[in-house]
């Protein structure tokens, strides 16, 4: 709702590794993938996919806001950089970390209005280089996710 993708793209376009990034543009986004492709010609924007699970499973790191994407990141054990749309998202981020099988794979940057290019790059580089011992590509829900999602009840 706060056009975080455009902000992140404006930071990524200046990185030497910009080609390593892909942006998923969903059907409810403020702007179309074509808008982003025209504005950020050196970046990759993906739209019109049937599901996100294969994309997330194949990722080394996902950048997302608080939402259902976090469940897929947990399930596929993918490092996740979180930007919040709302200041009180910090409560949900705390719950996610407490429920995760590997809470260190989640890194909260900040509320979207408090992020700039330096803070994004610092957080991204930190998480990319972070050695997480238990991070293998297994499919696993954290200890609290089964309860949250009503699995095995």
């Amino acid at each position: 709702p706060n056009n975080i993708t455009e902000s992140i793209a404006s930071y990524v376009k200046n990185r030497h590794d910009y080609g390593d990034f892909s942006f998923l543009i969903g059907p409810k986004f403020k702007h179309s993938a074509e808008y982003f492709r025209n504005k950020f010609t050196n970046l990759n924007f993906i739209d019109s996919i049937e599901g996100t699970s294969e994309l997330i499973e194949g990722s080394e790191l996902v950048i997302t806001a608080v939402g259902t994407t976090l469940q897929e990141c947990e399930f596929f054990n993918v490092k996740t950089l979180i930007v919040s749309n709302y200041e009180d998202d910090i409560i949900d981020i705390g719950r996610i970390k407490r429920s995760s099988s590997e809470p260190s794979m989640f890194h909260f940057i900040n509320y979207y209005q408090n992020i700039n290019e330096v803070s994004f790059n610092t957080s991204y580089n930190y998480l990319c280089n972070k050695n997480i011992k238990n991070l293998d590509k297994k499919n696993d829900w954290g200890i609290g996710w089964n309860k949250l999602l009503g699995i095995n009840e």
Side-chain angles (χ1 to χ4, degrees), residues 11-147:
Y11 308 146
V12 169
K13 72 176 183 174
N14 299 321
R15 292 180 58 92
H16 73 281
D17 59 350
Y18 68 85
D20 293 342
F21 290 77
S22 292
F23 293 82
L24 179 60
I25 307 300
K28 305 274 184 183
F29 273 53
K30 179 179 179 180
H31 299 293
S32 69
E34 196 60 35
Y35 165 86
F36 286 106
R37 288 184 194 111
N38 289 330
K39 184 167 184 176
F40 303 101
T41 57
N42 65 330
L43 300 178
N44 182 35
F45 295 91
I46 301 168
D47 62 345
S48 302
I49 63 170
E50 290 187 27
T52 58
S53 61
E54 286 183 17
L55 186 63
I56 291 173
E57 184 178 18
S59 298
E60 291 182 35
L61 190 146
V62 170
I63 303 166
T64 187
V66 174
T68 57
T69 300
L70 292 173
Q71 295 170 358
E72 290 179 287
C73 292
E74 171 74 23
F75 187 73
F76 292 117
N77 288 338
V78 176
K79 292 179 181 180
T80 308
L81 200 54
I82 306 169
V83 179
S84 70
N85 272 298
Y86 308 103
E87 289 178 330
D88 63 352
D89 281 346
I90 192 72
I91 297 166
D92 292 325
I93 293 166
R95 288 180 184 140
I96 289 163
K97 286 184 141 193
R98 285 190 304 275
S99 300
S100 176
S101 61
E102 187 51 64
S104 64
M105 73 181 184
F106 293 104
H107 182 74
F108 174 56
I109 301 178
N110 211 325
Y111 175 56
Y112 81 99
Q113 288 184 333
N114 298 332
I115 296 173
N116 59 40
E117 190 167 357
V118 171
S119 65
F120 169 78
N121 285 325
T122 300
S123 294
Y124 179 82
N125 292 338
Y126 165 79
L127 190 56
C128 277
N129 295 319
K130 188 174 187 179
N131 184 12
I132 302 174
K133 292 179 186 176
N134 298 325
L135 196 61
D136 57 13
K137 289 290 184 176
K138 63 182 179 177
N139 299 345
D140 185 31
W141 295 108
I143 55 172
W145 286 88
N146 285 350
K147 187 173 182 180

Side-chain angles (χ1 to χ4, degrees), residues 145-153:
W145 286 88
N146 285 350
K147 187 173 182 180
L148 287 170
L149 298 173
I151 298 172
N152 299 326
E153 289 189 330

